[in-house]
Amino acid sequence: MPKIGMQPLRKQQLINATLESVAQFGLQKTTVVTISKIAGLSSGIISHYFGGKQGLIEATVKYLLEQLKVALLEGMTNPPLTANERLKMIVEANFTQLQRSIPATKTWLSFWAQSMHDPGLARLQNINSKRLYSNLLFSFRQILDEDLAQIASKQTAAMIDGFWLRSALSTKPKEEFKQAQQLCKNFIDEQIKQYGDISCQS
């Protein structure tokens, strides 16, 4: 009989091992065997908990998405925040240490490429994009007119994704990620300064 509480621990072990396997071998060469070896668990447990490699890959991406949400909520534990401060918090949530780590960056890059061919991963990518845009729009609407808020949200989302991608592919990712985060925040300040309500600035 399995010990009480072991299932969540085992699942997280396998998710962590998947991140490490993708970092070492890439998504295509990551298998049930490579994952189970890294996790130090039998390969059968992957089928038991996730139904196979595909289910575990999707669970791993969901974990990274959930960590984005957690980072954002943790940053907003001391309300009230101004709309500007919330926008900056969204940027920071996308550039946390986890999201900048080698296992996470390689998994994200593999995920984006594979999502063009895999309906399940494409659905997760769509959820991710809509969530980022929605979070940005909520705050921009408190500062800008509706049309400008929509445009600024799309531009900021594109900057976050674009700068994150460039940083992940850089030969000096640590420096690039730091600069990318600041450039995204600078863009938000510029939008508010040019078009917004100054009372909403931090």
Side-chain angles (χ1 to χ4, degrees):
M1 181 179 293
K3 295 180 181 179
I4 296 175
M6 287 303 292
Q7 181 172 327
L9 294 175
R10 290 284 185 262
K11 284 186 174 182
Q12 190 60 49
Q13 272 184 276
L14 291 168
I15 287 171
N16 293 342
T18 302
L19 288 167
E20 185 59 37
S21 180
V22 173
Q24 288 187 38
F25 309 110
L27 183 58
Q28 294 304 318
K29 292 185 178 180
T30 284
T31 65
V32 167
V33 173
T34 64
I35 296 168
S36 61
K37 282 185 176 179
I38 292 172
L41 300 170
S42 69
S43 57
I45 202 169
I46 294 176
S47 296
H48 176 69
Y49 285 144
F50 300 100
K53 173 188 168 181
Q54 184 61 27
L56 180 50
I57 293 295
E58 291 189 16
T60 301
V61 174
K62 288 178 182 177
Y63 166 73
L64 292 175
L65 289 171
E66 182 63 23
Q67 293 310 299
L68 284 173
K69 180 180 178 181
V70 169
L72 182 58
L73 292 175
E74 287 179 349
M76 296 183 179
T77 53
N78 295 310
L81 298 177
T82 66
N84 189 342
E85 289 169 337
R86 284 197 301 274
L87 289 165
K88 303 289 181 58
M89 205 62 66
I90 294 170
V91 172
E92 291 179 8
N94 282 270
F95 289 93
T96 61
Q97 188 62 44
L98 170 64
Q99 303 298 344
R100 292 185 283 123
S101 67
I102 291 176
T105 56
K106 290 191 175 184
T107 298
W108 276 120
L109 292 171
S110 298
F111 160 64
W112 282 333
Q114 191 63 25
S115 67
M116 294 186 289
H117 310 285
D118 185 300
L121 295 181
R123 180 181 60 81
L124 292 177
Q125 170 58 18
N126 188 46
I127 291 172
N128 183 37
S129 296
K130 285 185 175 180
R131 181 185 294 172
L132 176 58
Y133 174 74
S134 177
N135 286 336
L136 291 166
L137 184 60
F138 175 81
S139 292
F140 269 125
R141 277 176 168 162
Q142 299 175 41
I143 307 171
L144 309 177
D145 292 337
E146 180 65 21
D147 289 345
L148 291 172
Q150 291 182 19
I151 292 171
S153 297
K154 290 178 181 179
Q155 290 176 320
T156 305
M159 290 187 73
I160 290 172
D161 287 341
F163 275 126
W164 187 96
L165 177 60
R166 288 174 65 91
S167 299
L169 295 173
S170 170
T171 57
K172 298 180 179 179
K174 184 176 181 180
E175 297 174 12
E176 291 294 328
F177 273 122
K178 182 178 180 180
Q179 184 181 50
Q181 184 174 179
Q182 190 57 53
L183 287 170
C184 290
K185 291 182 177 181
N186 291 347
F187 175 77
I188 291 169
D189 286 335
E190 289 167 4
Q191 295 302 296
I192 296 172
K193 182 178 180 180
Q194 187 170 1
Y195 302 111
D197 181 352
I198 194 170
S199 66
C200 294
Q201 296 188 53
S202 58

